[in-house]
Structure formats: C-alpha cells, structure tokens
Amino acid sequence: VDNDPIQFNNGYVWYDVLGITPSRERTLDEVRDQVEAKWRDDQISAKLRAKATEIVQKLDSGAKLADEAAAAGVKVETSANFNREASPAGVIAAAFRTAKDGDGQTSTAGGSQWVVFRVTNVTVPPVDFASDAAKQLTEALRRSLSDEQVAQYVSKIESDIGVTVNQAAF
C-alpha cells in the first residue's frame, strides 16, 4: 500500500516504511549523560531559586536592590515603560502581577536563570482610540459579540423547537 505524501518545506515527501522497531526502555548507560545533565540543571535551578527567594526576602525587609546585586556579583538593569507584549514574556508577566514598590522573582531560560526585580513605578498609558490597535480591538469585540448573539439565538431556537441529531446518518 502506498503511503500518503507528507507536506514538508513547501513541497511533499513520499516515503516507504521498511521496518518497525518496537519501543523499549533505554538502559541507563544509553541515557547517563542526559540524566546527569538534567539532574545538574535541576540542582542549579533549585539553588538559583533559593538565592532569588532569599534576595526578595531581604528586599522586602528594606535592603537595597543595588547592594544585594553587588553582594551576589550580578548587575542591576533598569527597564522603563514596557507593556504586556514586551519580552521576555515570563518576566513581564511577573512584573505585571507585582504591585508598585513590590519585589518579585521569576525564572527565565527554562530555570537556568532567575530574575529578581522591583517595580518602582506604574503608569497607565493614554488610550488613543484612533490607533490601529484600538480599531482592531474594537472590530474583534464587535465580531465576538455578534458571534455570541447568533450562538445564543440558535441555542434558543434549538431548545424551543427541539433538535435531535440522527447519529447514524451523521
């Protein structure tokens, strides 16, 4: 039996199955390097998390971020006026969950890096209803509202009339 072609890189691939290798558990010798690397990464991440938690606790009790960063041997970076769509997304989301003058922490790069931050200012940007983003949001909300109204109407009609589906014919 010919197999259906697969789409790949703007083209198609035709293939033949020449054999099937049954699945099996790999031996420790086959995966030892991967297991050691994963264990090492997990240990590093746990220690970084503990250190970040310790720094946040010190900041919450009145320490200065610059002093704690210097003691840890890391640099302080300042970010200003970013929005929810900025990157790295995990750090931005954590910052938006943190109150003004609050401290927080989050991991980046799969846990191999941790960011400790302080939210020093919160500003509400002015809304420009004439902007393309506002127009797109308005149109999306209108479409969504219209779709919801149609769905409610159809649901009401179906419940009033009584609709059944012939599963055999379907």
Side-chain angles (χ1 to χ4, degrees):
V1 175
D2 288 334
N3 295 314
D4 292 331
I6 299 172
Q7 277 189 319
F8 182 71
N9 287 343
N10 299 322
Y12 291 91
V13 174
W14 283 264
Y15 63 95
D16 288 324
V17 177
L18 302 176
I20 298 174
T21 304
S23 64
R24 66 175 179 83
E25 292 291 326
R26 294 179 283 175
T27 65
L28 181 59
D29 291 335
E30 291 175 313
V31 295
R32 182 179 306 276
D33 293 339
Q34 296 166 347
V35 170
E36 287 176 354
K38 177 67 174 140
W39 178 82
R40 193 175 311 108
D41 291 345
D42 289 348
Q43 294 299 311
I44 290 170
S45 180
K47 289 181 181 185
L48 287 173
R49 172 182 233 151
K51 184 65 175 173
T53 301
E54 176 188 333
I55 291 173
V56 168
Q57 289 171 347
K58 288 179 182 178
L59 293 174
D60 287 342
S61 63
K64 295 192 181 303
L65 184 60
D67 295 340
E68 293 303 317
V74 295
K75 63 182 176 179
V76 174
E77 294 182 11
T78 301
S79 297
N81 297 332
F82 54 83
N83 60 23
R84 291 183 189 270
E85 286 79 36
S87 66
V91 176
I92 299 301
F96 272 93
R97 285 191 306 265
T98 305
K100 181 180 178 188
D101 297 323
D103 304 305
Q105 65 172 330
T106 189
S107 67
T108 62
S112 64
Q113 297 177 1
W114 281 80
V115 175
V116 174
F117 58 88
R118 171 172 279 162
V119 177
T120 57
N121 192 17
V122 176
T123 58
V124 177
V127 177
D128 179 11
F129 291 106
S131 72
D132 289 337
K135 289 176 183 175
Q136 288 173 351
L137 179 60
T138 301
E139 183 59 31
L141 287 172
R142 282 191 182 131
R143 274 193 311 268
S144 177
L145 184 59
S146 175
D147 292 346
E148 179 64 26
Q149 288 172 341
V150 169
Q152 287 180 2
Y153 175 73
V154 169
S155 177
K156 175 69 173 154
I157 295 294
E158 287 176 346
S159 68
D160 289 348
I161 295 174
V163 176
T164 59
V165 176
N166 182 344
Q167 292 295 332
F170 184 65

